[in-house]
Amino acid sequence: MIVGGYRGTETLVQIYDVVGKHLRKIKSTLYERDGSTSVKINNHVYSAGGARSKIVECLNLNQVNVGWNKVASMKEQRWGAASAVLNDQMCVAGGWNGRNVLSSVELYNPVVNTWTNIASMKTKRYGHALVSYNGCLYTFGGWDGSNPLNSMESFDPREGKWKSLKPMNEERNALCGVVYNDEIYAIGGKGLRSVERYNIRTNTWTKVSSLKHVRWGSCACVVNGKIYVIGGDGNDASKSIEAYDATINEWKIETNMETPRWQASVVAL
């Protein structure tokens, strides 16, 4: 499911069928989702923030035709934030609040419909990536307000603090990231086609095959054993979906969309 974006797609929601390679439109979001971030928890999709917004809304996948409904708002406005699921809760980290780049992190509990703050990241970031693996969070890349970042840090809720890990080989602003085959992938970024993966056990980064297009402001998810990267900046990138198959270490253009997507978010259903 691809949610929102920029340049006329702020409320557009589509589902991409990876088998049939086609898109279908479903109920639009209630609010503009330019630079927002989304997750799926227990058959519900939550989309948070975006330009000048701290509003969060939810779509029950069992009642798609009913449409989206507003839930509790975040404490901070967040554009270009990143999110992941931690213990059945939505974690949203960093972003831009219209004045400053943020290091703060909020956790949403859908059972009680409340947001609480957890420990802030060591580095303020927006346009970064955030993933969850084995009960821990990993964030990497982005922009700190002055410079693109290659740094990476992790959060273990049992310890309650962030710690620095091995930095990426390249600085990556406006990248996307996923967990795939028990490794973390850092994909693209401003001016980049390159992709690298992080081995959690050895704390090392290794380059893999590059994207077909330079992509930044893209979004990515894993479905049926492949990484799918949607849209991004640039005429060629914005209308295309690429897929990566680790068994052959190769990216292929899956389809070309009618509508360009940039600064959208995506969740695997």
Side-chain angles (χ1 to χ4, degrees):
M1 178 187 290
I2 310 166
V3 181
Y6 186 50
R7 299 173 182 158
T9 63
E10 289 86 350
T11 63
L12 177 64
V13 184
Q14 293 173 298
I15 293 177
Y16 178 62
D17 182 337
V18 299
V19 177
K21 298 183 181 180
H22 60 81
L23 289 147
R24 64 181 175 93
K25 185 179 177 182
I26 62 169
K27 292 277 190 177
S28 298
T29 55
L30 300 172
Y31 301 90
E32 293 185 354
R33 296 291 165 201
D34 157 23
S36 65
T37 186
S38 303
V39 299
K40 175 176 173 284
I41 303 172
N42 296 331
N43 227 34
H44 291 71
V45 175
Y46 297 87
S47 190
R52 302 173 299 282
S53 177
K54 59 182 178 181
I55 295 171
V56 184
E57 54 188 303
C58 169
L59 178 68
N60 184 341
L61 295 174
N62 293 321
Q63 301 173 330
V64 171
N65 292 332
V66 174
W68 297 79
N69 65 283
K70 186 178 176 182
V71 296
S73 295
M74 296 182 291
K75 296 174 182 289
E76 290 259 20
Q77 295 183 23
R78 297 179 187 269
W79 178 87
S83 65
V85 178
L86 181 67
N87 299 326
D88 288 333
Q89 297 183 72
M90 181 180 190
C91 181
V92 182
W96 168 261
N97 68 1
R99 303 175 304 279
N100 302 298
V101 183
L102 303 172
S103 62
S104 61
V105 182
E106 299 185 45
L107 201 60
Y108 175 70
N109 185 329
V111 176
V112 294
N113 191 32
T114 56
W115 289 89
T116 55
N117 284 101
I118 60 174
S120 294
M121 298 179 291
K122 297 170 74 70
T123 302
K124 58 186 180 180
R125 306 172 186 266
Y126 77 94
H128 56 299
L130 181 73
V131 299
S132 177
Y133 181 77
N134 276 357
C136 294
L137 297 168
Y138 296 83
T139 187
F140 43 100
W143 182 267
D144 66 4
S146 302
N147 301 293
L149 301 169
N150 68 344
S151 60
M152 183 187 205
E153 50 188 298
S154 67
F155 176 80
D156 186 334
R158 294 166 295 187
E159 298 175 359
K161 61 182 180 181
W162 293 84
K163 67 178 182 181
S164 298
L165 299 172
K166 182 76 175 288
M168 296 180 290
N169 294 305
E170 294 188 82
E171 296 169 341
R172 296 178 185 275
N173 174 29
L175 78 164
C176 51
V178 297
V179 174
Y180 177 57
N181 292 344
D182 297 314
E183 294 184 297
I184 296 170
Y185 281 67
I187 302 164
K190 195 163 187 179
L192 298 174
R193 290 175 52 236
S194 61
V195 180
E196 51 189 304
R197 67 184 176 207
Y198 176 74
N199 186 304
I200 298 167
R201 181 178 54 83
T202 60
N203 189 31
T204 54
W205 287 94
T206 306
K207 289 187 176 182
V208 299
S209 179
S210 294
L211 296 157
K212 298 297 185 186
H213 297 306
V214 169
R215 292 183 188 273
W216 64 281
S218 304
C219 52
C221 65
V222 175
V223 181
N224 290 357
K226 293 182 180 180
I227 302 174
Y228 289 83
V229 181
I230 297 106
D233 189 58
N235 290 332
D236 291 330
S238 65
K239 285 191 173 183
S240 63
I241 297 175
E242 284 192 53
Y244 176 75
D245 185 342
T247 60
I248 55 174
N249 186 30
E250 186 176 334
W251 291 90
K252 291 183 179 179
I253 301 295
E254 279 277 308
T255 192
N256 287 299
M257 302 178 286
E258 292 184 7
T259 305
R261 302 301 282 265
W262 181 52
Q263 299 291 5
S265 58
V266 65
V267 296
L269 301 182

